[in-house]
Amino acid sequence: MRIVSVAAECEPWAKAGGLGDVVDALARSLGRTGALDQPVDVFLPAYRSVVLPPGAAVETLTVTVPGPYGPATGAHPNGSANVVIRSLLTHGYRLRLVDHPVAFDRDGIYGFDDDPWRFGLLGRAVLETLRAEGQPIDLLHVHDWHASTTVVLRDRFYAGDRIVGQRSLATLLTIHNLAYHGWVGLPGLASLGLAPGDRVVAPGAAGIDLLWAGIERATLVNTVSPTFAAEALTPAVGFGLDPTLQWKADQADLAGRPRFFGILNGIDPAVWDPATDADLAAPYSALDLAGKAGCRADLLERVGFDPGDDGPVLGMIGRLDPQKGFDLLAEAAPRLLASGARLIVQGSGDPALAAPFRALAQRRPDRIVLNERFDRAMARRIYAGADLYVMPSRFEPCGQGQMIALRYGTPPVVHRTGGLADTVVDEYLHPGAGTGFVFDHPTADGLAWACEQAFEARGDAAGWARLVGRGMAVDNDWASGPTAAYLDAARRAVALAAAPPPAGRRSRAPKP
Ligand code: GLC
């Protein structure tokens, strides 16, 4: 089995959120299973921020990528670009950087007007590379809309190609974020080399929704938790693609399983381990929790809080995106402060979402602190040093913070949604069996209520220690289930792609 993974993020090279962690950890974990003939290939744009280890053995290959990526020539009347692929074996996979400075040598990963063009280039560069190398692959695994271009442009431009155009080449699309689709209106189609009426464009549509097109075309589609997979089929959480995902789920693979499903992410227990975490003031483990108090004191000193105050310290870390519910914590803050709590918030992204915290932190610097940046070391200190970890996400395909918090002995307070619902057991509903606190309504009151349950539980020191212990014992290791589930999905995708096409005309996905 040979797997090629394509994504816009991969930790530690380029990361904006959980996507980067998953792409890295899954590739590494798949490589360790012994089920692959060679390490996973991970294609990633060579953003300006990507820094390779000095002295790394990098192989380069230049491929000509046809399409609207450079000036027209006789051979390529629609234009082409010479793109350098820099490959190195590292972290248990083969990282393959797609280096095209016009597209990727910029500050930041996303958010440019020409993102569809940039990620269209990524997709075609992958296809051209695989084609030039001429080595058969079994599974093309693409993540989110940015990499979905690989599947869509393959169907449009490479049908019948000996390597990438084979019908039997299986594709798996993993959706980490259903809110971002990669929508391109009719005037923009040319930036992908497409035109209205192309077969990858929905008939009569006002453009192309690249995530939609990937869902339609991929052999199998998954998202990153079973609960989110179910929620994504509803109008409330489906972001307009619920009918498309339902259409996919209504089809079965050869094993009779739906072609759209959920696989819960894991975390890497070696990367997230309070016993070996070099950023912590004092290491600790489930067997010896003493160091956690040292981490708490260190964190509080760093942010200018009184380390002697035993009141609950709430941590929250994330992308400043409406999804994450920072506004709910800001709104609940006065009520939480009134109960003696203090808040440590870290986030990067939309500065408007940080504004309420900035104001609160100015008024009460002794009780609220905002670290408005992406700070790896501080994140680890918050996971370890806080008493509770807050995740009031409005929706959450999986979420990673709650899993890290569990492992760091910091019980999570979460909204019952998506992967949060799948990973945290509510102590209020299951006294003596819980690992955290779960609320049903994504409102400031819902969040404050759940925090108050947690404050009360914390009053019983022995009961609290048992709750912490249960959380630390939860096994979310990639190797304990998720990696095998991806291998199984890969095998099902390969079998389905190899099977003869069903008789009759294939139905199209409902338009987005
Ligand atoms: C996205 C989702 C998050 C998930 C992550 C990795 O960031 O919002 O829920 O954990 O991708 O799959």
Side-chain angles (χ1 to χ4, degrees), residues 40-391:
V40 176
D41 273 17
V42 179
F43 281 89
L44 175 78
Y47 305 106
R48 179 177 297 169
S49 58
V50 174
V51 181
L52 295 181
V58 180
E59 274 177 36
T60 60
L61 169 77
T62 303
V63 289
T64 302
V65 181
Y69 308 112
T73 59
H76 297 288
N78 297 320
S80 69
N82 289 332
V83 172
V84 180
I85 309 297
R86 302 184 193 281
S87 307
L88 66 152
L89 274 170
T90 179
H91 289 65
Y93 47 86
R94 178 154 67 142
L95 178 68
R96 316 207 67 185
L97 295 165
V98 175
D99 195 350
H100 191 51
V102 193
F104 301 122
D105 185 12
R106 306 184 188 181
D107 272 329
I109 297 179
Y110 312 114
F112 303 99
D113 287 344
D114 58 354
D115 278 356
W117 174 83
R118 298 169 69 228
F119 293 112
L121 172 79
L122 169 67
R124 288 205 71 169
V126 171
L127 297 165
E128 288 297 335
T129 305
L130 299 173
R131 188 186 200 191
E133 291 174 337
Q135 287 169 19
I137 58 172
D138 301 289
L139 182 79
L140 205 47
H141 185 187
V142 303
H143 301 267
D144 281 350
W145 79 262
H146 326 98
S148 151
T149 53
T150 321
V151 171
V152 178
L153 298 175
R154 163 195 182 234
D155 280 13
R156 172 62 186 81
F157 295 107
Y158 297 83
D161 180 85
R162 204 170 57 79
I163 298 296
V164 294
Q166 300 284 342
R167 240 187 42 85
S168 60
L169 167 55
T171 55
L172 170 65
L173 165 63
T174 298
I175 301 175
H176 302 258
N177 198 326
L178 195 48
Y180 295 97
H181 290 193
W183 170 254
V184 182
L186 290 180
L189 286 185
S191 75
L192 291 159
L194 300 176
D198 269 348
R199 61 202 188 99
V200 297
V201 178
I208 189 169
D209 179 310
L210 286 164
L211 190 58
W212 170 88
I215 297 168
E216 175 171 78
R217 296 187 170 274
T219 316
L220 297 179
V221 179
N222 81 298
T223 186
V224 287
S225 70
T227 294
F228 190 75
E231 290 170 345
L233 300 178
T234 66
V237 182
F239 290 94
L241 290 179
D242 37 305
T244 310
L245 291 169
Q246 185 68 61
W247 170 85
K248 200 78 181 184
D250 286 343
Q251 303 168 43
D253 67 14
L254 299 184
R257 307 261 295 274
R259 289 176 65 187
F260 169 63
F261 50 91
I263 298 177
L264 188 68
N265 285 339
I267 55 171
D268 187 328
V271 171
W272 301 105
D273 182 358
T276 58
D277 192 326
D279 290 311
L280 303 190
Y284 61 93
S285 67
L287 296 176
D288 182 4
L289 268 171
K292 193 171 191 320
C295 290
R296 185 181 191 274
D298 171 66
L299 173 69
L300 301 196
E301 263 158 34
R302 281 174 189 273
V303 301
F305 287 178
D306 171 11
D309 178 342
D310 187 47
V313 174
L314 276 51
M316 177 166 176
I317 305 167
R319 274 180 294 124
L320 291 169
D321 184 293
Q323 171 195 346
K324 297 292 178 183
F326 280 95
D327 53 317
L328 302 182
L329 182 60
E331 197 187 325
R335 180 165 154 190
L336 295 171
L337 258 56
S339 326
R342 289 173 292 174
L343 313 184
I344 300 178
V345 178
Q346 173 169 297
S348 59
D350 182 356
L353 290 170
F357 285 109
R358 231 178 281 132
L360 285 163
Q362 249 155 33
R363 252 181 289 143
R364 296 303 307 270
D366 58 327
R367 308 210 68 86
I368 301 190
V369 67
L370 169 69
N371 193 26
E372 204 180 332
R373 66 175 72 93
F374 179 75
D375 183 336
R376 284 190 171 80
M378 238 348 235
R380 290 172 174 275
R381 295 178 189 126
I382 296 170
Y383 285 125
D387 298 308
L388 289 162
Y389 185 78
V390 182
M391 236 169 134

